[in-house]
């Protein structure tokens, strides 16, 4: 499973050869994260699990790379900003949550049926 997750995350992130060690660590962490949240055996959702872990690792990697500036020009001053750190991987995180929704416990605190 780890090889599948890493392969997907590598494709999504575009990590260079020198960045692959950090991506492997992020993949391992993402796999642990989803394993803890699972409410079914991973054998029931192997593709969703691998994609969600890869999405989460790629999201974290993209935030590590994000320096905020995409391009800068001096003539007629033009600055193009990337997503700010903390937002670069939001789409990938949402995709991971959507994939795992049927198989994982919600993240955070959820209250249902509470009345005063």
């Amino acid at each position: 499973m780890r090889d599948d997750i890493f392969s997907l995350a590598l494709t999504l992130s575009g990590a260079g050869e020198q960045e692959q060690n950090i991506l492997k660590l992020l993949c391992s962490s993402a796999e642990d994260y989803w394993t803890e949240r699972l409410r079914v055996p991973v054998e029931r959702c192997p593709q969703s699990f691998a994609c969600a872990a890869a999405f989460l690792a790629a999201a974290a990697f993209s935030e590590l790379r994000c320096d905020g500036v995409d391009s800068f020009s001096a003539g007629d001053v033009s600055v193009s900003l990337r997503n700010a750190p903390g937002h670069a991987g939001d789409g990938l995180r949402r995709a991971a949550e959507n994939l795992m929704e049927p198989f994982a416990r919600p993240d955070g605190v959820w209250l249902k049926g509470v009345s005063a």
Side-chain angles (χ1 to χ4, degrees):
M1 179 75 63
R2 286 183 186 243
D3 289 339
D4 292 341
I5 293 168
F6 177 70
S7 177
L8 288 167
L10 186 59
T11 300
L12 290 167
S13 68
E17 192 172 322
Q18 293 181 343
E19 300 167 311
Q20 289 182 13
N21 284 337
I22 187 69
L23 185 61
K24 284 180 185 178
L25 290 172
L26 292 170
C27 287
S28 179
S29 179
E31 184 177 14
D32 291 346
Y33 172 81
W34 284 116
T35 299
E36 288 296 316
R37 286 192 51 198
L38 279 177
R39 54 183 172 82
V40 299
V42 74
E43 292 79 18
R44 287 203 38 212
C45 57
Q47 292 88 4
S48 295
F49 182 87
C51 287
F55 287 178
L56 196 60
F61 185 80
S62 72
E63 289 174 358
L64 290 172
R65 277 182 144 182
C66 187
D67 61 7
V69 177
D70 193 31
S71 65
F72 179 84
S73 302
D76 292 331
V77 183
S78 173
V79 177
S80 177
L81 299 178
R82 289 186 194 153
N83 289 330
H87 300 292
D90 286 350
L92 287 169
R93 277 194 190 81
R94 279 192 300 277
E97 288 290 337
N98 289 338
L99 280 172
M100 293 304 290
E101 185 177 8
F103 311 109
R105 289 184 298 279
D107 192 22
V109 176
W110 295 85
L111 301 176
K112 182 178 179 179
V114 177
S115 60

